Amino acid sequence: DAGVIQSPRHEVTEMGQEVTLRCKPISGHDYLFWYRQTMMRGLELLIYFNNNVPIDDSGMPEDRFSAKMPNASFSTLKIQPSEPRDSAVYFCASSTRQGDYEQYFGPGTRLTVT
Amino acid sequence: SQQGEEDPQALSIQEGENATMNCSYKTSINNLQWYRQNSGRGLVHLILIRSNEREKHSGRLRVTLDTSKKSSSLLITASRAADTASYFCATSGSARQLTFGSGTQLTVLP
């Protein structure tokens, strides 16, 4: 299995631009999580989906952030408009309903907003 | 907000020594997990301990859990330079999401 796939790995954009991060979870996993990691705030859960349905989006910082999961193999996290304080590493993770909630992380997207 | 707090924030040891990291949390849990993050990479699941377990082993890893003190420890025995990474504890309650601690940066010197 290829594991969780994220793209792009690095994104540099200017303030005000729209940014779209993409994630492909492990096949057969029915939970998908989006996290943001910064030095100041550590690893924060932004939103998670179960069977493509958003379950908890209380971690989404502002209306500028939105996430979708149109099917079981693809999710996007969009920031519009982006701001310098959005600079962080964004991780996607997936897990299966079986087991004890272990999560499998992608390599992350390092976002820099100038 | 982070539930777990790890201690120490940074640890530097010589290869071959044991490394112990501690995690404290605030609310009741179903299980507690430890993850490793190498620089520039995603987190990798290491080991999970359920709330009704007190100790668990996996290779060179030993995890303990004290639910009365709301704390856990991760012991890495006979450390290697390749163990250099950040280590995070994560707690799981009734819902599926995990709440991660702030992490311990471990450096193993050759």
Side-chain angles (χ1 to χ4, degrees):
Chain A
D1 197 320
V4 175
I5 299 172
Q6 291 187 246
S7 65
R9 293 294 311 278
H10 301 274
E11 177 81 31
V12 180
T13 190
E14 292 183 347
M15 183 174 61
Q17 297 298 306
E18 177 180 295
V19 175
T20 299
L21 311 182
R22 298 173 176 80
C23 175
K24 176 178 167 55
I26 292 172
S27 177
H29 282 195
D30 41 18
Y31 286 86
L32 184 139
F33 305 82
W34 282 100
Y35 292 91
R36 178 173 67 177
Q37 186 177 39
T38 61
M39 289 294 293
M40 290 297 294
R41 299 175 66 87
L43 196 64
E44 302 173 280
L45 176 66
L46 300 177
I47 185 172
Y48 81 97
F49 296 82
N50 176 217
N51 291 326
N52 313 337
V53 176
I55 303 300
D56 185 349
D57 66 354
S58 60
M60 296 285 263
E62 301 170 33
D63 291 344
R64 298 185 297 105
F65 285 69
S66 62
K68 294 181 180 179
M69 192 164 186
N71 58 63
S73 58
F74 184 65
S75 177
T76 59
L77 178 67
K78 186 175 292 186
I79 309 172
Q80 166 63 19
S82 58
E83 297 183 2
R85 60 192 167 121
D86 302 330
S87 297
V89 182
Y90 291 81
F91 288 103
C92 174
S94 68
S95 72
T96 176
R97 76 170 74 91
Q98 277 81 39
D100 290 308
Y101 309 178
E102 302 100 307
Q103 294 184 14
Y104 297 81
F105 280 73
T109 295
R110 180 172 295 277
L111 173 65
T112 303
V113 184
T114 61
Chain B
S1 62
Q2 294 170 352
Q3 148 128 277
E5 289 299 325
E6 272 130 304
D7 168 55
Q9 288 189 331
L11 179 62
S12 184
I13 60 174
Q14 294 293 136
E15 203 164 28
E17 293 179 340
N18 295 342
T20 299
M21 289 158 269
N22 303 296
C23 168
S24 60
Y25 57 93
K26 297 173 185 172
T27 61
S28 61
I29 61 172
N30 277 339
N31 64 62
L32 186 144
Q33 305 178 31
W34 285 89
Y35 287 77
R36 183 187 74 226
Q37 184 179 31
N38 290 86
S39 181
R41 303 287 190 92
L43 280 74
V44 174
H45 180 262
L46 293 176
I47 192 167
L48 178 151
I49 187 165
R50 296 191 180 95
S51 60
N52 60 355
E53 297 176 315
R54 291 298 167 258
E55 187 171 314
K56 201 162 184 179
H57 297 254
S58 176
R60 294 183 297 113
L61 305 179
R62 172 177 168 254
V63 172
T64 61
L65 179 65
D66 187 335
T67 53
S68 66
K69 295 181 180 178
K70 292 188 168 57
S71 67
S72 173
S73 67
L74 172 68
L75 169 68
I76 304 174
T77 60
S79 63
R80 306 166 181 168
D83 295 329
T84 294
S86 291
Y87 291 82
F88 296 87
C89 67
T91 54
S92 172
S94 56
R96 272 279 169 177
Q97 64 259 47
L98 296 176
T99 304
F100 284 84
S102 51
T104 292
Q105 172 62 48
L106 173 65
T107 303
V108 182
L109 303 169

